[in-house]
Amino acid sequence: MSAPEDEERLLPLAQRWPRASKFLLSGCAATVAELATFPLDLTKTRLQIQGEAALARLGHGAREAAPYRGMVRTALGIVQEEGFLKLWQGVTPAIYRHIVYSGGRMVTYEHLREVVFGKGEDKHYPLWKSVIGGMMAGVVGQFLANPTDLVKVQMQMEGKRKLEGKPLRFRGVHHAFAKILAEGGVRGLWAGWVPNIQRAALVNMGDLTTYDTVKHYLVLNTPLEDNIMTHGLSSLCSGLVASILGTPADVIKSRIMNQPRDKQGRGLLYKSSTDCLVQAVQGEGFMSLYKGFLPSWLRMTPWSLVFWLTYEKIREMSGVSPF
C-alpha cells in the first residue's frame, strides 16, 4: 500500500469525509435544538391553521370556532385538554425532517461558499453571495425533507382532531407515511413543496446569511474572537431575521400541507400557494400572514441559539474547522 493511502487512513473521519461529517454533525445539533423548542413549534402551527376562511366553503364552520387565543393560552390549553406530553406530538417526524433538512442546507451552503462562489482575498464573503447561497441551501434542504415535514405538520393537528370528535388519521409516524403514500402516491409526499421551499429560501436567507455575515463581521471588525459569545450574538440576530422573513411563508405552508385532499392528492381548499395567500389576505386580513409570529420568533431564536452553539462546539470537538 502506498504512503499517501496510509496517511489518508490515519486521518480523522471528519477530514476523510468532510461533507458526510458535516451532514451528521448538523443533524445532531438540529436534533438537540428540535427537542428543546418543539412545543413552541406545535403552538405556532395550531395558531396558524385555526380560523381559515377557506374552510367555510366546505361547511366546516372553522372561522366561528377559534379555540386558541395567543401563545400562552394555546400551550396551556394543549396541556389541560390533551396532556403535557402532547406538546411534543409530531416530534419524531420533526427530528427526521431536521436531520435531512439541516444536513442538506449546511453542506450545500458551505459547498457554495467555499467552492462555487469563494471568498475574497481578505477572507470576506460578500453579502450578495451569502444571500444567494442561503436561499439555494434552503431550497435544496427543504426539497429533500418535504415528506417528513408533511407528516410533522399533519401529526401536530391530530390532538385537535381528537378533541373535535373527528377520527384520527394516523396511528404513528410510519403509518402516516404509508397512508399519505397510498392515498396520494409519491407525489403526495411532496404536497406543499412549492410554499415549503419558498419559506425555506426566506428562512435560510435570514438564518444562514445573517449568522455567517454577523459572525465574520464581529470577528474581523471587533475585539470579539470566534468563540461562544460571538456565536451567541450571531445566532440571536439570525433567529430574529429568519422569523420576520419566514412567518408569512410558514403560514401558507402549514395551511396547504394540512388541507384535506381528494383521491388524486389535490388540495380541496387551495389551488396553489398564491391562491392560499390571496384567500388569507382577503378573508382574514394581511396580519393573518403573521399568525403565530410570537411563538415562531420565540421558537426560532432559542432554536437558532441552541443549534449554532451546539453545531460550532461539536465541529470543534470533531476536529472540523469553525463554520
Side-chain angles (χ1 to χ4, degrees), residues 46 67-68 74 76-83 86 89 157-168:
R46 294 284 182 93
Y68 303 128
T74 300
L76 290 176
I78 293 171
V79 172
Q80 293 171 354
E81 299 170 3
E82 304 173 40
K86 292 299 182 180
Q89 176 140 5
M157 299 307 296
E158 289 298 275
K160 182 170 178 258
R161 288 177 63 88
K162 184 176 181 180
L163 290 177
E164 293 173 346
K166 299 177 182 179
L168 297 182

Side-chain angles (χ1 to χ4, degrees), residues 36 51 68 71 81 181 199 208 212 215 256 260 272 282 284 294 299 323:
Y68 303 128
M71 180 190 70
E81 299 170 3
L181 186 61
R199 173 190 177 271
L208 287 173
D212 196 17
K215 175 188 169 181
I256 286 183
S272 64
Q282 289 183 343
E284 305 161 56
L294 181 58
R299 191 247 181 184
F323 178 78

